[in-house]
């Protein structure tokens, strides 16, 4: 499976949300990273065919995808950023409804629902009304519906929002196993969601693709640019205004500050091993009050 | 089929909606019961059995002697009532009749006699542009005998044939059916049926926006076409079920008040809503036909609401717009004649008028279709089908073009 995004543009009135976005995906997990408002959700909506682009096209295995393409839709699994449920539906009703939407019926649908609900730990809650689910349970139900048709292309928009750390790890493992022969695009602004599983990461900002490289390449690119240094709280308040700070840990009466900088920020600063989070901050040069 | 089942669950078969439906059923029954309360009063009075005996005894074609007697008695009673309470107090006179069943028989028989007279001689004064009555129709055709290819000749010929096939009115006990006929009244149909259909169907598409389900539906294999089929079927089924509940409530309310459905086998023209009908059947048959027609009209209206829902953003705007349409079309009947002449298709064939089977099937309205007289009923049926096809196609188109912003 080869998914090609070619020169996609999208305008909302005078505002350009996407400007000539191009990249290619094959099997494996692809991370889509970018700050809020960067155009990630717009790109994803165009990819899943629920929004028309103003320009450019999406190709599947070299063939242009039309909005009415049933074959494409049959291969697609999608978890939108914003997801709510019918108040009168139980979890089981909801999954059966989505299964019917995806053309799964009878025993095939039932066995798939059973397997998936076990994987997302919802078996015991399937007969409860969805509206009574917690945020994390709703998200897990959303993940289950996206996987119902065993999709060749899985697109997940902020999938881990609302999940606790344990659930996030479980989710990452699930996606990782699932992605063996499939294409997974995982959009997030939570860097840790993708740093261990993404084959490649697409950085998107202001509607443009900044870079698309393997996760390790992003990390390697900032080797020697991450530093640890200590300072007082008063110094930190001043310092963070014009430096990229990726982490702050209180140590005694001082703060241990993790700084991303091209040059050594002070004589006593020590070099540190970079992470994808550092690379993300460096890429987008988020300085003011964005310590993640 | 699975999708249809879930669409029905969203639209009707869920706890809140079923409770609302049960409340509506009780309301319909109570409304019918209350409007039939005169019958209750009559059943409790001592002369009720005598009334039944008189009606049974005089059932059938007109007895001129009885007509003369009943006319004299009822006119005297009315004159005496008016002398006491004044001319404007008609409701009091009706209440008086229900307390005096024998007097009510004379009043009913006198009215029946008038209708028989009108059947043969037409109303007074006669509308020269639309002749009514058996003899005036014969005379009119005689004057047109040299223009047998004209639309006017064909029109009156068809009218006369209808009157001949129906025959003159007959007298029958039809108290239950008179009460039940209120279910076909414009006020009830508009406020107790169409508005409820609009309320139930308004969220059919907009709730996918409210519940953030649009994206998942639209990118699914069956999310552009099959889901619309399921929604359209659920809309038709919901409208039909609501109509069935509406008529069931009205029927039961009238039945509780009367305790019988006597008169169901009398000629269709005995049914209050269909006094001028051209359909050759019984009271029970025409009532059943009226229920079927109203169901069809409610389904068509449901499809229109569904179409609005497919293009709107929220349930409130769909319901609001539907109410605006209902009220606007309801008030169109009060427009002056010169405006009516300009926009008659909109007045005669809007979905409020289409839901009033009494108006469509009780009169003698015909349309000049390529020189041939086309009855209102057939024209209305064609419009219903055309309106359904157009709304269905536009609804499919709306879902095909739908996007998430």
């Amino acid at each position: 499976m080869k998914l090609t995004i070619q020169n996609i543009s999208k305008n909302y009135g005078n505002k350009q949300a996407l400007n000539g976005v191009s990249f290619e995906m094959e099997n494996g997990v692809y991370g889509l990273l970018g700050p809020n408002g960067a155009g990630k959700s717009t790109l994803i909506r165009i990819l899943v065919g629920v929004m028309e682009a103003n320009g450019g096209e999406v190709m599947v295995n070299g063939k242009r995808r039309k909005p009415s393409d049933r074959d494409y839709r049959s291969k697609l699994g999608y978890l939108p950023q914003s997801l709510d449920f019918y108040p009168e539906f139980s979890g089981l009703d909801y999954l059966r409804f989505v299964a019917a939407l995806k053309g799964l019926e009878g025993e095939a649908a039932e066995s798939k629902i059973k397997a998936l609900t076990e994987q997302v730990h919802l078996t015991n809650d399937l007969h409860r009304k969805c509206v009574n689910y917690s945020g994390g349970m709703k998200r897990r139900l959303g993940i289950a519906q996206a996987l119902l048709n065993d999709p060749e292309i899985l697109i997940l928009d902020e999938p881990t929002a609302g999940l606790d750390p344990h659930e996030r790890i479980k989710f990452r493992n699930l996606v990782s196993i699932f992605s063996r022969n499939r294409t997974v695009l995982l959009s997030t602004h939570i860097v840790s969601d993708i740093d261990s599983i993404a084959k490649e990461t697409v950085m998107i900002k202001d509607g443009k693709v900044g870079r698309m490289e393997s996760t390790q390449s992003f990390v390697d690119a900032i080797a020697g640019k991450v530093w640890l240094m200590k300072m007082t709280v008063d110094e930190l308040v001043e310092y963070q205004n014009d430096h990229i700070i990726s982490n702050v840990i209180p140590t005694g009466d001082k703060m241990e500050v993790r700084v991303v900088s091209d040059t050594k920020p002070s004589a006593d600063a020590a070099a540190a091993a970079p992470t994808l989070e550092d690379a993300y901050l460096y890429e987008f040069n988020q300085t003011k009050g964005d310590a993640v | 089929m699975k999708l249809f089942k879930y669409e029905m669950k969203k639209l009707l078969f869920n706890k809140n909606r079923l409770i609302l439906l049960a409340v509506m059923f009780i309301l319909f029954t109570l409304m019918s019961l209350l409007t039939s309360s005169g019958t209750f009063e009559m059943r409790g009075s001592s002369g009720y059995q005598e009334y039944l005996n008189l009606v049974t005894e005089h059932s059938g074609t007109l007895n001129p002697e009885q007509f003369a007697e009943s006319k004299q008695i009822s006119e005297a009673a009315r004159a005496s009532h008016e002398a006491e309470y004044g001319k404007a107090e008609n409701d009091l006179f009706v209440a008086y009749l229900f307390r005096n069943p024998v007097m009510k028989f004379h009043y009913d028989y006198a009215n029946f006699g008038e209708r028989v007279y009108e059947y043969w001689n037409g109303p007074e004064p006669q509308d020269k542009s639309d002749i009514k009555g058996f003899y005036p129709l014969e005379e009119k055709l005689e004057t047109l005998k040299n223009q047998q290819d004209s639309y006017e000749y064909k029109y009156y010929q068809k009218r006369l044939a209808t009157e001949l096939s129906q025959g003159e009115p007959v007298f029958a006990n039809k108290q239950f059916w008179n009460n039940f006929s209120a279910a076909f009244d414009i006020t009830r149909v508009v406020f107790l049926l169409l508005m409820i259909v609009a309320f139930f169907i308004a969220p059919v598409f907009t709730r996918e926006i409210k519940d953030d389900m649009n994206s998942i539906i639209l990118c699914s294999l069956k999310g552009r076409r099959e889901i619309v089929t399921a929604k359209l079927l659920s809309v038709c089924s919901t409208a039909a079920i609501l109509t069935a509940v509406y008529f069931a409530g009205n029927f039961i309310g009238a039945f509780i008040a009367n305790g019988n459905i006597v008169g169901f086998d009398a000629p269709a023209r005995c049914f209050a809503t269909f006094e001028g009908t051209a359909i050759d059947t019984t009271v029970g048959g025409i009532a059943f036909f009226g229920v079927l027609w109203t169901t069809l009209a409610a389904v068509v209206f449901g499809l229109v609401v569904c179409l609005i829902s497919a293009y709107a953003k929220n349930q409130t705007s769909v319901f609001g717009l539907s109410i605006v349409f209902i009220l606007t079309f309801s008030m169109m009947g009060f427009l002056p004649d010169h405006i009516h002449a300009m926009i008659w298709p909109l007045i005669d064939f809007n979905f409020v008028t289409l839901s009033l089977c009494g108006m469509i099937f009780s009169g003698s309205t015909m349309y000049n279709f390529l020189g041939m007289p086309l009855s209102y009923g057939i024209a209305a049926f064609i419009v219903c089908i055309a309106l359904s096809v157009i709304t269905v196609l536009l609804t499919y188109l709306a879902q095909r073009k739908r996007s998430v912003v």
Side-chain angles (χ1 to χ4, degrees):
Chain A
M1 172 66 67
K2 186 174 173 184
L3 195 62
T4 311
I5 289 105
Q6 211 167 65
N7 209 21
I8 294 281
S9 302
K10 178 70 186 176
N11 300 326
Y12 295 117
N14 293 328
K15 187 181 182 300
Q16 188 149 42
L18 292 175
N19 182 9
V21 171
S22 299
F23 61 91
E24 265 184 17
M25 295 188 289
E26 292 181 343
N27 289 346
V29 178
Y30 290 78
L32 183 62
L33 269 181
N36 288 331
K40 300 191 300 291
S41 291
T42 301
L43 177 62
I44 279 180
R45 283 174 188 158
I46 291 168
L47 263 179
V48 299
V50 300
M51 184 187 274
E52 289 274 343
N54 294 117
E57 52 199 356
V58 176
M59 320 261 280
V60 182
N61 293 331
K63 278 187 177 175
R64 192 178 166 211
R65 184 215 65 185
K66 292 173 193 161
S68 56
D69 193 338
R70 286 173 69 88
D71 186 46
Y72 178 74
R73 278 188 276 143
S74 71
K75 290 174 179 161
L76 196 66
Y78 173 46
L79 172 65
Q81 184 178 5
S82 165
L83 181 65
D84 210 341
F85 301 94
Y86 305 119
E88 59 271 21
F89 276 27
S90 66
L92 185 59
D93 287 334
Y94 177 75
L95 288 176
R96 282 176 175 165
F97 172 65
V98 178
L101 271 174
K102 293 180 179 223
L104 258 79
E105 286 191 15
E107 189 49 42
E110 293 303 314
S111 59
K112 194 71 194 169
I113 288 169
K114 188 170 181 285
L116 280 169
T117 47
E118 276 170 16
Q119 282 182 291
V120 297
H121 297 284
L122 281 175
T123 311
N124 295 332
D125 299 289
L126 265 186
H127 295 281
R128 282 174 59 200
K129 293 272 187 275
C130 301
V131 281
N132 298 325
Y133 281 14
S134 68
M137 288 166 79
K138 284 181 179 174
R139 214 62 200 154
R140 282 185 277 148
L141 187 63
I143 292 163
Q145 69 76 26
L147 298 173
L148 268 172
N149 56 331
D150 224 358
E152 287 181 48
I153 304 163
L154 178 63
I155 296 175
L156 306 162
D157 198 355
E158 307 286 357
T160 57
L163 298 187
D164 63 32
H166 178 72
E167 289 169 342
R168 280 167 73 171
I169 292 164
K170 297 273 302 178
F171 165 73
R172 275 209 301 264
N173 295 342
L174 182 66
V175 170
S176 203
I177 295 165
F178 184 81
S179 67
R180 273 179 303 174
N181 299 311
R182 297 169 179 86
T183 306
V184 179
L185 179 65
L186 200 161
S187 162
T188 184
H189 58 264
I190 303 168
V191 179
S192 59
D193 281 350
I194 54 169
D195 62 357
S196 58
I197 59 167
K199 177 177 160 184
E200 290 194 59
T201 299
V202 183
M203 297 268 191
I204 186 166
K205 188 186 179 188
D206 296 334
K208 287 181 182 172
V209 169
R211 288 161 65 196
M212 180 182 179
E213 289 177 21
S214 70
T215 306
Q216 195 53 48
S217 301
F218 275 108
V219 175
D220 291 347
I222 59 159
K225 293 176 180 174
V226 182
W227 312 90
L228 290 174
M229 54 191 285
K230 291 193 175 176
M231 61 182 75
T232 64
V233 173
D234 290 342
E235 284 169 338
L236 176 61
V237 169
E238 188 68 26
Y239 191 80
Q240 68 181 2
N241 289 332
D242 47 8
H243 290 84
I244 305 170
I245 295 173
S246 67
N247 203 10
V248 176
I249 301 169
T251 52
D253 57 345
K254 287 201 168 182
M255 299 285 162
E256 186 181 74
V257 182
R258 188 179 175 92
V259 182
V260 184
S261 170
D262 286 327
T263 55
K264 193 173 181 178
S266 70
D268 61 341
T275 64
L276 186 61
E277 212 161 58
D278 299 322
Y280 172 81
L281 289 175
Y282 183 77
E283 184 71 22
F284 295 117
N285 196 17
Q286 296 181 336
T287 54
K288 295 189 177 179
D290 274 356
V292 184
Chain B
M1 202 58 199
K2 277 259 178 191
L3 285 176
F4 169 66
K5 179 185 144 191
Y6 287 111
E7 287 305 322
M8 282 306 290
K9 181 163 185 161
K10 287 193 255 174
L11 214 50
L12 187 65
F13 294 144
N14 60 71
K15 196 169 90 181
N16 290 345
R17 290 300 177 96
L18 288 175
I19 289 171
L20 184 59
L21 195 61
V23 171
M24 296 317 303
F25 174 72
I26 293 167
L27 178 74
F28 298 147
T29 309
L30 284 176
M31 285 284 288
S32 178
L33 195 58
L34 290 174
T35 50
S36 308
S37 59
T39 314
F40 261 143
E41 205 170 348
M42 191 162 73
R43 281 164 64 86
S45 62
S46 56
Y48 182 59
Q49 192 51 50
E50 197 180 344
Y51 167 82
L52 289 181
N53 292 341
L54 283 168
V55 171
T56 310
E57 188 185 330
H58 293 93
S59 287
T61 51
L62 184 73
N63 176 345
E65 287 164 14
Q66 182 59 48
F67 171 51
E69 183 192 337
S70 291
K71 193 175 179 188
Q72 189 191 12
I73 293 171
S74 63
E75 278 176 357
R78 184 175 270 281
S80 150
H81 189 272
E82 282 176 2
E84 195 170 346
Y85 300 104
K87 268 194 172 181
E89 298 299 334
N90 191 54
D91 287 352
L92 279 178
F93 184 66
V94 172
Y96 161 77
L97 290 176
F98 279 108
R99 287 194 303 274
N100 298 274
V102 176
M103 184 59 71
K104 184 169 183 338
F105 160 74
H106 289 299
Y107 183 77
D108 289 348
Y109 204 89
N111 276 344
F112 160 65
E114 299 293 346
R115 283 184 50 223
V116 173
Y117 178 85
E118 257 188 43
Y119 170 81
W120 292 108
N121 303 296
E124 286 176 359
Q126 183 76 262
D127 176 3
K128 297 289 179 196
S129 65
D130 189 19
I131 303 293
K132 289 190 173 83
F134 189 88
Y135 298 133
L137 283 171
E138 273 191 333
E139 283 168 24
K140 184 70 182 176
L141 281 170
E142 185 63 25
T143 62
L144 293 169
K145 67 180 179 188
N146 295 327
Q147 305 164 48
Q148 292 190 8
D149 288 334
S150 70
Y151 168 75
E152 197 179 12
Y153 184 86
K154 288 174 188 165
Y155 169 72
Y156 284 118
Q157 193 183 39
K158 197 168 180 177
R159 289 273 311 282
L160 184 63
T162 301
E163 295 306 317
L164 265 174
S165 72
Q166 289 289 323
E168 72 169 42
V170 295
F171 189 69
N173 178 10
K174 52 192 175 66
Q175 197 58 47
F176 167 84
W177 299 99
N178 280 350
N179 292 151
F180 181 61
S181 72
F184 297 99
D185 176 70
I186 180 168
T187 315
R188 283 210 202 173
V189 169
V190 165
F191 289 99
L192 293 182
L193 180 60
L194 294 188
M195 281 196 184
I196 286 160
V197 168
F199 178 80
F200 271 75
I201 290 173
V204 62
F205 277 97
T206 56
R207 71 168 308 173
E208 310 302 357
I209 301 171
K210 178 177 157 277
D211 292 326
D212 276 333
M213 278 297 292
N214 246 346
S215 312
I216 289 173
I217 290 174
L218 292 175
C219 74
S220 300
L221 177 67
K222 297 186 173 180
R224 295 274 180 181
R225 199 173 60 209
E226 290 86 344
I227 189 79
V228 180
T229 309
K231 281 184 186 293
L232 288 168
L233 286 175
S234 69
V235 162
C236 295
S237 306
T238 301
I241 290 168
L242 289 173
T243 314
V245 169
Y246 168 78
F247 280 113
N250 277 285
F251 189 93
I252 290 168
F255 184 78
I256 293 170
N258 289 279
N260 63 61
I261 56 165
V262 170
F264 73 95
D265 53 353
R269 283 188 170 186
C270 290
F271 193 65
T273 308
F274 297 96
E275 282 181 348
T277 189
I279 301 170
D280 190 8
T281 181
T282 60
V283 163
I286 199 80
F288 183 66
F289 173 78
V291 170
L292 284 184
W293 179 269
T294 312
T295 306
L296 171 71
V299 166
V300 173
F301 175 63
L303 290 173
V304 173
V305 177
C306 175
L307 176 64
I308 299 171
S309 184
Y311 283 94
K313 299 272 184 233
N314 60 63
Q315 182 183 349
T316 313
S317 58
V318 181
F319 184 60
L321 199 57
S322 305
I323 298 302
V324 168
F325 278 135
I326 289 173
L327 295 179
T328 307
F329 289 140
S330 301
M331 287 185 284
M332 275 187 168
F334 300 107
L335 289 172
D337 286 350
H338 68 280
I339 296 178
H340 188 288
M342 282 189 285
I343 56 167
W344 64 267
L346 198 59
I347 295 173
D348 291 0
F349 298 104
N350 67 67
F351 46 71
V352 170
T353 316
L354 289 174
S355 63
L356 303 173
C357 55
M359 187 181 283
I360 296 168
F361 293 100
S362 189
S364 53
T365 308
M366 289 194 197
Y367 297 92
N368 185 347
F369 182 72
L370 304 174
M372 295 295 289
L374 183 67
S375 73
Y376 195 176
I378 292 174
F381 182 73
I382 292 167
V383 170
C384 277
I385 299 302
L387 205 56
S388 304
V389 171
I390 292 166
T391 50
V392 164
L393 291 177
L394 288 177
T395 307
Y396 276 108
L397 187 68
Q399 185 74 350
R400 213 173 134 187
K401 298 279 177 198
R402 186 181 281 263
S403 62
V404 176
V405 181

